[in-house]
Amino acid sequence: MDIIRQGSPVLFQYNQNKKWLVTVSGDETLHTHIGVIRHADAIGRPYGSRITTNKEKYLYLLRPTTYDYIMKIQHGTQIVYPKDIGYILARSGLEAGQTVVEIGTGSGALTTALAGVIRPRGRVHTFDVDEGFIRIAEKNIRRAGLSKYVVQYTADVREMAEMPVSDADLAIIDLGDPWSAVPQVRRMLRGSGSLFAVCPTMNQLEKLAAALTENEFTDIECTERILRTIEAREGKTRHSFHGIGHTAYLCYARKAYFERDGERAAD
Amino acid sequence: MDIIRQGSPVLFQYNQNKKWLVTVSGDETLHTHIGVIRHADAIGRPYGSRITTNKEKYLYLLRPTTYDYIMKIQHGTQIVYPKDIGYILARSGLEAGQTVVEIGTGSGALTTALAGVIRPRGRVHTFDVDEGFIRIAEKNIRRAGLSKYVVQYTADVREMAEMPVSDADLAIIDLGDPWSAVPQVRRMLRGSGSLFAVCPTMNQLEKLAAALTENEFTDIECTERILRTIEAREGKTRHSFHGIGHTAYLCYARKAYFERDGERAAD
Amino acid sequence: MDIIRQGSPVLFQYNQNKKWLVTVSGDETLHTHIGVIRHADAIGRPYGSRITTNKEKYLYLLRPTTYDYIMKIQHGTQIVYPKDIGYILARSGLEAGQTVVEIGTGSGALTTALAGVIRPRGRVHTFDVDEGFIRIAEKNIRRAGLSKYVVQYTADVREMAEMPVSDADLAIIDLGDPWSAVPQVRRMLRGSGSLFAVCPTMNQLEKLAAALTENEFTDIECTERILRTIEAREGKTRHSFHGIGHTAYLCYARKAYFERDGERAAD
Amino acid sequence: MDIIRQGSPVLFQYNQNKKWLVTVSGDETLHTHIGVIRHADAIGRPYGSRITTNKEKYLYLLRPTTYDYIMKIQHGTQIVYPKDIGYILARSGLEAGQTVVEIGTGSGALTTALAGVIRPRGRVHTFDVDEGFIRIAEKNIRRAGLSKYVVQYTADVREMAEMPVSDADLAIIDLGDPWSAVPQVRRMLRGSGSLFAVCPTMNQLEKLAAALTENEFTDIECTERILRTIEAREGKTRHSFHGIGHTAYLCYARKAYFERDGERAAD
């Protein structure tokens, strides 16, 4: 049995829109519009249990997953969404033990998802120039308990003479001008290694795709993923009325060597 | 440098539709309509290099990823696609070291993706009653080099008195009547553990969602993912003309305990 | 030149979300949060002109189209949306002079669109049992200036012995249980005539499709239409972040005679 | 009763993929892989009847709608699809009696749909520079029986000093460089009149939207429509496996006068 104790991370979930990610502390209480929640009520219960607020509302005690941490990070900053993160994981075939390079840490949502997969022996090397984001990301990564699998750099790889990483299995570029970092990213990737760029606009896809070909990448694939929720209820199953919008387009590619003999294998 | 040698797995890729997954053997040749390919030409080259066929067509030598193995499995049997697998990974937050239960091994495509993530210390316990599928899956899993992380069972969990697995972090149900296995799956999951069912039809979603509520699951979410390819070319960027169809709907849920004191925690 | 005069219908449009459909009256003023609008300012101007409010906001003076009337009707009641109405018009090939039967008038949005196409010599015969809706629809149809092309019935066709219409070119069913009216609708349609049912749920589609086959309809086609808005701006073109949800599924079919000699041609 | 006679247009439909649009001629026979079809078998039957081929296959005798003519035109040339045509009709609120200008006749698919709505008193003025297309379109429009509502011009409006049309209610631009015809189209539209451009690429949308603002158009809206087919069958309802691709993006706008007093109302 998997019991909630003092200090355990718990997602108090009322529904998809009302949930609280907390570290249980016996003497704390959470005041919400669905009532008061005493952390103490959760202690000693197995994950998955439900308790009731003083307003008689059910609240589920879930064990936070990477997904829950990411959705929490979402609030306030623009993040890469699970529907897109999932495609990055599946298309690149990311696995435990691999090395990942991320240009543009942002709030650390994607960093968190990547670290969850490559641990314990793999590493995510993430770069950002914004001190503010770096601190936010550090906090978010720590909260997800993944700090020791992530190496954060306060630097602009485009201005670094020496690349601190080599033979990476996957590189992520999340910059407004993704094409500008392609040469540096190429040097950090192993031959046939995967690259993913997060692009909010079609113009970025267009400029990036051209830069990838120039920089000897192959298997270039640009896609978007539309996630639709279905309300499955007896006799009245239908898609949700609330809409599904745009998050980001993704551009995938793999590092190649165009020279017939691969003598450029140096970079 | 990451060099291709005798016995190395290589994806010979001409384009998205023409690619061959092989184990390099110096004396073998591949006869295709884009020309003859001599395995020997690949030996000694770094992954990512490209060679030319005797018809002067470029062919890239890529290191196979789980994605490549899965797309290969696709041929002939119905599989769970990367766009859906990715969502399963991201939504459940699957991580290295976790335990997965899969009811319905099929051709092993999803099994392969799951094993790639939970290894080295995690395990995928997969059940099927069809000897034929079990053999196909075994072959596919072995080819992806993941056999030692997968435990295959030739059994119908719905008829087993004792569940061979407990405290699983994630359970997948890929059966025509997914609801029929919910009680058994529940017993194999830890509290708050994730469940995903692969449902080709809306009717399955509807019956399953009802069964999940009856069996004390929460956070139930039914979705579909539409993957669209974008052709990003200078001055003429647009979505691909070729269509995107339906693969499967997915139903997600987490194991809960409805009894106020979780005394049913036994199951 | 097409000049706005006293009594002219005008759509005062600030943007997609802020627009007012009015009949110009020299002594009226419209008080909005973007400022005060004096109808008199519009008089004498050509349609398409823009005026400024006392808060210096631009406001366009557009000539209302059926689309504008329909979007106006939307507020408050559930309507059939232009994206779906358009498909009904194009798939059925509705033309001026044709006869349409509508079971379920609702607020008259679809009635308005249909009348706009079949006039001047065609007619829309629309049935509803709800006095309240009938009055709302009457008002909306009148406002669009289409009353004389619409015949409203306060009746439940399923309980009528004699059908008041025959040889209709198109029939629309917008009821919670569309299958229940199929026999009556069939009697009002000409051979090969088109039928469209507006179905919010998949269950309705499923039951209706079966009823249509039983009642000798062919060319049955169930569809949904997803409308996505694209923000085309120099250097940053992308789909809109705000989502696109579900409105209704549509089921199309054409009246056939299964008896080899069509002797049932009577109905 | 609506009986098929010598010379009647009939759509012989086996299924969505196998259908033949013919003018019934007593002595003709149609040889297909589902058997031989004698036109004579259709004569005297009501539209909607079904006959059997000598291979015992059912064939429905449908009265062709504009939709059927358009789908027929499709074969061989790129056309504007019903899902898009429908949106053009519904968004612009096109009605009987209105005047339409079409720049780029192409094969006449859209021309046919527009003529079907504006007849009998309205007109579609369509321009093309390609003699070949003009002939194809003429044939297609004639086959749909709409010739007398369409005026074809073999000309490039961008090089015409005098515009042959004025106060049009709707203008369609279907050119590779739609922005190049905006000034001429503006002169042919009435104030507040609607414009629709058919754009296969995002780049066209982007350049066109800028040109529309420069040329004093308002209510600019770029969209795409995704049409999905649903197979509604008892107990196994789901979206079709076959995909839905891209056809064209649409850009809508209405003619405005930015000068405060509309003195440019001349154009």
Side-chain angles (χ1 to χ4, degrees):
Chain A
M1 281 302 303
D2 192 5
I3 304 299
I4 296 167
R5 318 196 175 292
Q6 172 79 9
S8 296
V10 174
L11 180 74
F12 285 107
Q13 177 161 309
Y14 177 61
N15 63 30
Q16 274 306 321
N17 305 316
K18 298 174 183 47
K19 41 191 177 183
W20 300 266
L21 194 50
V22 307
T23 298
V24 170
S25 169
D27 51 10
E28 279 186 38
T29 59
L30 197 62
H31 291 267
T32 77
H33 63 298
I34 59 161
V36 177
I37 304 158
R38 297 177 47 247
H39 284 210
D41 290 352
I43 294 176
R45 290 238 168 66
Y47 277 107
S49 305
R50 69 180 179 190
I51 57 176
T52 49
T53 69
N54 67 334
K55 284 187 180 173
E56 292 306 312
K57 298 288 187 191
Y58 281 124
L59 206 69
Y60 293 90
L61 310 176
L62 305 178
R63 178 155 62 176
T65 64
T66 306
Y67 173 87
D68 300 315
Y69 287 112
I70 290 171
M71 293 313 276
K72 209 66 204 172
I73 291 172
Q74 172 184 4
H75 300 297
T77 60
Q78 197 199 336
I79 67 157
V80 180
Y81 285 79
K83 74 183 178 67
D84 301 322
I85 289 174
Y87 192 69
I88 290 175
L89 299 181
R91 183 66 169 90
S92 67
L94 189 66
E95 299 182 353
Q98 296 192 324
T99 300
V100 181
V101 168
E102 180 186 43
I103 312 303
T105 308
S107 48
L110 181 50
T111 322
T112 299
L114 297 166
V117 173
I118 54 85
R119 76 179 184 180
R121 295 206 313 285
R123 288 292 176 271
V124 178
H125 297 267
T126 186
F127 301 75
D128 210 305
V129 292
D130 184 318
E131 296 281 2
F133 270 134
I134 287 164
R135 273 188 298 277
I136 292 170
E138 186 177 15
K139 191 173 123 296
N140 289 325
I141 295 161
R142 191 187 325 112
R143 176 157 66 167
L146 297 165
S147 302
K148 67 164 165 306
Y149 312 114
V150 178
V151 184
Q152 285 187 282
Y153 301 78
T154 307
D156 183 335
V157 288
R158 293 164 298 189
E159 296 169 356
M160 295 172 80
E162 289 302 301
M163 292 299 112
V165 184
S166 63
D167 294 320
D169 300 280
L170 169 65
I172 308 286
I173 305 180
D174 189 356
L175 301 174
D177 51 351
W179 49 85
S180 68
V182 170
Q184 290 75 20
V185 160
R186 176 183 174 81
R187 290 169 58 194
M188 293 194 266
L189 278 174
R190 62 168 171 73
S192 182
S194 296
L195 175 150
F196 255 113
V198 180
C199 300
T201 76
M202 288 278 177
N203 309 75
Q204 291 168 312
L205 280 184
E206 192 172 302
K207 288 188 67 168
L208 178 61
L212 287 169
T213 301
E214 282 163 25
N215 284 272
E216 301 191 4
F217 278 83
T218 186
D219 199 15
I220 299 172
E221 177 204 73
C222 296
T223 58
E224 71 168 329
R225 288 136 304 290
I226 302 175
L227 177 68
R228 305 183 71 195
T229 306
I230 296 161
E231 295 178 19
R233 293 162 306 174
E234 192 168 10
K236 41 188 214 282
T237 294
R238 56 164 178 74
H239 286 91
S240 302
F241 287 140
H242 74 264
I244 33 144
H246 168 62
T247 54
Y249 308 115
L250 291 177
C251 182
Y252 174 76
R254 297 197 227 193
K255 176 179 178 178
Y257 300 106
F258 288 4
E259 278 65 22
R260 202 179 175 309
D261 309 322
E263 67 277 320
R264 266 195 55 196
D267 69 356
Chain B
M1 280 302 306
D2 191 6
I3 303 300
I4 296 168
R5 319 195 175 293
Q6 172 78 10
S8 297
V10 174
L11 181 73
F12 286 107
Q13 178 160 309
Y14 176 63
N15 61 31
Q16 274 305 322
N17 305 316
K18 299 174 183 49
K19 41 190 177 182
W20 299 266
L21 194 50
V22 307
T23 298
V24 170
S25 168
D27 51 9
E28 279 186 39
T29 58
L30 197 62
H31 291 266
T32 77
H33 63 298
I34 59 160
V36 177
I37 303 158
R38 296 177 48 245
H39 284 210
D41 290 351
I43 294 176
R45 290 238 168 65
Y47 276 107
S49 305
R50 68 180 181 191
I51 57 177
T52 49
T53 68
N54 66 336
K55 285 187 180 174
E56 293 306 314
K57 298 289 187 192
Y58 282 124
L59 206 68
Y60 292 90
L61 310 177
L62 305 178
R63 179 156 59 176
T65 63
T66 306
Y67 173 86
D68 300 315
Y69 286 112
I70 288 170
M71 294 313 276
K72 209 66 204 171
I73 290 173
Q74 172 184 3
H75 299 296
T77 60
Q78 200 201 334
I79 67 157
V80 180
Y81 285 79
K83 73 183 177 70
D84 301 323
I85 289 174
Y87 192 69
I88 290 176
L89 299 181
R91 183 65 169 91
S92 68
L94 189 66
E95 300 181 352
Q98 295 193 324
T99 300
V100 181
V101 168
E102 181 186 42
I103 312 303
T105 309
S107 49
L110 180 51
T111 322
T112 299
L114 297 166
V117 173
I118 54 84
R119 75 179 185 177
R121 296 207 313 284
R123 290 291 177 271
V124 178
H125 297 268
T126 184
F127 301 74
D128 210 306
V129 292
D130 184 318
E131 296 281 3
F133 270 133
I134 287 163
R135 271 188 300 277
I136 292 170
E138 186 177 14
K139 190 172 124 297
N140 288 325
I141 295 162
R142 191 187 325 111
R143 177 158 64 168
L146 296 166
S147 301
K148 67 164 164 307
Y149 313 113
V150 177
V151 184
Q152 285 188 281
Y153 300 77
T154 308
D156 183 336
V157 287
R158 294 165 296 190
E159 296 170 358
M160 295 172 78
E162 290 302 303
M163 292 299 111
V165 184
S166 63
D167 293 321
D169 299 280
L170 169 64
I172 308 286
I173 305 181
D174 190 356
L175 301 174
D177 51 351
W179 48 86
S180 67
V182 169
Q184 291 75 21
V185 160
R186 178 183 172 82
R187 290 169 56 193
M188 292 193 267
L189 278 174
R190 61 167 171 73
S192 182
S194 296
L195 175 150
F196 256 114
V198 179
C199 300
T201 77
M202 287 279 176
N203 309 77
Q204 290 168 311
L205 280 184
E206 191 172 304
K207 289 187 65 168
L208 177 62
L212 287 169
T213 302
E214 284 163 27
N215 285 272
E216 300 191 4
F217 278 83
T218 185
D219 199 14
I220 299 173
E221 176 203 74
C222 296
T223 59
E224 71 168 328
R225 286 137 305 288
I226 302 175
L227 178 69
R228 304 184 71 195
T229 306
I230 296 161
E231 295 177 17
R233 291 162 309 175
E234 193 169 6
K236 40 188 215 280
T237 294
R238 56 165 178 73
H239 286 91
S240 301
F241 287 140
H242 75 263
I244 32 139
H246 168 64
T247 54
Y249 308 115
L250 291 177
C251 182
Y252 174 75
R254 298 198 225 193
K255 176 179 176 176
Y257 301 106
F258 288 3
E259 277 66 21
R260 206 180 172 312
D261 309 322
E263 65 279 322
R264 263 193 58 194
D267 69 356
Chain C
M1 279 303 306
D2 192 6
I3 304 298
I4 296 168
R5 318 196 175 292
Q6 172 78 10
S8 296
V10 175
L11 181 73
F12 286 107
Q13 178 161 309
Y14 176 62
N15 62 31
Q16 275 306 323
N17 306 315
K18 298 173 182 50
K19 41 190 177 182
W20 300 266
L21 194 50
V22 307
T23 297
V24 170
S25 169
D27 51 9
E28 280 186 38
T29 58
L30 196 63
H31 291 266
T32 77
H33 63 299
I34 59 162
V36 177
I37 303 157
R38 296 177 46 246
H39 284 211
D41 289 352
I43 294 175
R45 290 239 169 65
Y47 276 107
S49 304
R50 68 181 180 189
I51 58 176
T52 49
T53 69
N54 67 334
K55 284 186 180 174
E56 292 306 314
K57 298 288 187 192
Y58 281 124
L59 206 69
Y60 292 91
L61 310 176
L62 305 178
R63 179 155 59 176
T65 64
T66 306
Y67 174 87
D68 300 315
Y69 286 112
I70 289 170
M71 294 313 277
K72 211 65 205 171
I73 291 173
Q74 171 185 5
H75 299 295
T77 60
Q78 199 201 335
I79 67 157
V80 180
Y81 285 79
K83 73 184 177 69
D84 300 323
I85 289 174
Y87 192 70
I88 290 174
L89 299 180
R91 183 65 168 93
S92 68
L94 189 66
E95 299 181 353
Q98 296 193 324
T99 300
V100 180
V101 168
E102 180 186 43
I103 312 303
T105 310
S107 48
L110 181 50
T111 321
T112 300
L114 297 166
V117 172
I118 54 85
R119 73 179 186 179
R121 298 207 313 285
R123 289 292 176 271
V124 177
H125 297 267
T126 185
F127 301 73
D128 209 306
V129 292
D130 184 317
E131 296 281 3
F133 270 134
I134 287 164
R135 272 188 298 277
I136 292 169
E138 186 176 14
K139 192 173 121 296
N140 288 325
I141 295 162
R142 190 185 326 111
R143 176 157 65 167
L146 298 165
S147 301
K148 66 166 167 304
Y149 313 113
V150 178
V151 185
Q152 285 189 282
Y153 300 78
T154 308
D156 183 335
V157 289
R158 294 165 296 189
E159 295 170 357
M160 295 172 79
E162 290 301 302
M163 293 298 112
V165 184
S166 63
D167 294 321
D169 299 280
L170 168 65
I172 308 286
I173 305 181
D174 189 357
L175 301 174
D177 52 350
W179 48 85
S180 67
V182 169
Q184 290 75 19
V185 161
R186 177 182 174 84
R187 290 170 56 193
M188 291 193 267
L189 278 174
R190 61 167 171 72
S192 182
S194 296
L195 175 150
F196 256 113
V198 179
C199 299
T201 76
M202 287 278 177
N203 310 76
Q204 290 167 313
L205 281 184
E206 190 173 304
K207 288 188 66 168
L208 177 61
L212 287 169
T213 302
E214 282 163 28
N215 285 271
E216 301 191 4
F217 278 83
T218 185
D219 199 16
I220 298 172
E221 176 203 75
C222 296
T223 58
E224 71 168 328
R225 286 137 305 289
I226 302 175
L227 177 69
R228 303 183 71 194
T229 306
I230 296 161
E231 294 177 18
R233 291 162 309 176
E234 192 168 8
K236 39 190 217 279
T237 294
R238 56 165 178 73
H239 286 91
S240 300
F241 287 141
H242 74 264
I244 32 143
H246 168 63
T247 54
Y249 307 115
L250 291 176
C251 182
Y252 174 75
R254 298 198 225 192
K255 176 179 177 177
Y257 301 107
F258 288 4
E259 277 65 23
R260 205 181 173 308
D261 309 323
E263 66 277 324
R264 265 195 56 194
D267 69 359
Chain D
M1 281 301 305
D2 192 7
I3 304 298
I4 297 167
R5 318 195 175 290
Q6 172 78 9
S8 297
V10 175
L11 180 74
F12 286 107
Q13 178 161 309
Y14 177 61
N15 62 31
Q16 275 306 320
N17 305 315
K18 298 173 183 48
K19 41 191 177 184
W20 300 265
L21 193 50
V22 307
T23 298
V24 169
S25 169
D27 52 9
E28 280 186 39
T29 59
L30 197 62
H31 292 266
T32 77
H33 63 297
I34 59 160
V36 177
I37 302 157
R38 296 176 48 248
H39 284 208
D41 290 352
I43 294 176
R45 291 237 168 68
Y47 277 107
S49 305
R50 70 181 179 188
I51 57 177
T52 49
T53 69
N54 67 334
K55 284 187 180 174
E56 294 305 314
K57 299 288 187 191
Y58 281 125
L59 205 69
Y60 292 90
L61 310 177
L62 305 178
R63 178 155 61 177
T65 64
T66 306
Y67 174 87
D68 300 316
Y69 287 112
I70 290 170
M71 293 314 275
K72 209 66 204 173
I73 291 172
Q74 171 186 4
H75 299 297
T77 59
Q78 198 199 334
I79 66 157
V80 180
Y81 285 79
K83 73 182 178 69
D84 301 323
I85 289 173
Y87 192 69
I88 290 174
L89 300 180
R91 184 66 169 92
S92 67
L94 189 66
E95 299 182 353
Q98 296 193 323
T99 300
V100 181
V101 168
E102 181 186 42
I103 312 303
T105 309
S107 49
L110 181 50
T111 321
T112 299
L114 297 166
V117 173
I118 54 85
R119 76 177 183 181
R121 294 207 313 285
R123 290 291 177 271
V124 178
H125 297 268
T126 185
F127 301 74
D128 210 305
V129 293
D130 184 319
E131 297 280 2
F133 270 135
I134 287 164
R135 272 188 298 278
I136 292 170
E138 187 177 14
K139 192 173 121 296
N140 289 325
I141 295 162
R142 191 186 325 114
R143 176 157 65 167
L146 298 165
S147 301
K148 67 164 164 306
Y149 313 113
V150 178
V151 184
Q152 285 187 279
Y153 300 78
T154 308
D156 183 335
V157 287
R158 293 164 298 189
E159 296 169 356
M160 295 172 81
E162 290 302 301
M163 292 298 112
V165 184
S166 63
D167 293 322
D169 299 281
L170 168 65
I172 308 286
I173 305 180
D174 189 356
L175 301 174
D177 51 352
W179 48 86
S180 68
V182 169
Q184 290 75 20
V185 160
R186 176 182 175 82
R187 290 168 57 193
M188 292 193 266
L189 277 174
R190 61 167 171 72
S192 182
S194 296
L195 175 150
F196 255 113
V198 180
C199 301
T201 77
M202 287 279 177
N203 310 76
Q204 290 168 312
L205 281 185
E206 192 172 303
K207 289 188 65 168
L208 178 61
L212 287 169
T213 301
E214 283 163 25
N215 285 271
E216 301 192 4
F217 278 83
T218 185
D219 200 14
I220 299 172
E221 176 204 75
C222 296
T223 58
E224 72 169 328
R225 289 136 302 290
I226 302 175
L227 178 68
R228 304 183 73 196
T229 307
I230 297 162
E231 295 177 18
R233 293 162 307 174
E234 192 169 8
K236 40 189 215 282
T237 294
R238 56 164 177 74
H239 286 90
S240 301
F241 287 140
H242 75 263
I244 32 143
H246 168 62
T247 54
Y249 308 114
L250 292 176
C251 182
Y252 174 76
R254 298 198 226 193
K255 176 179 177 177
Y257 300 106
F258 287 4
E259 278 65 21
R260 201 177 177 315
D261 309 322
E263 66 279 320
R264 264 195 57 197
D267 69 353

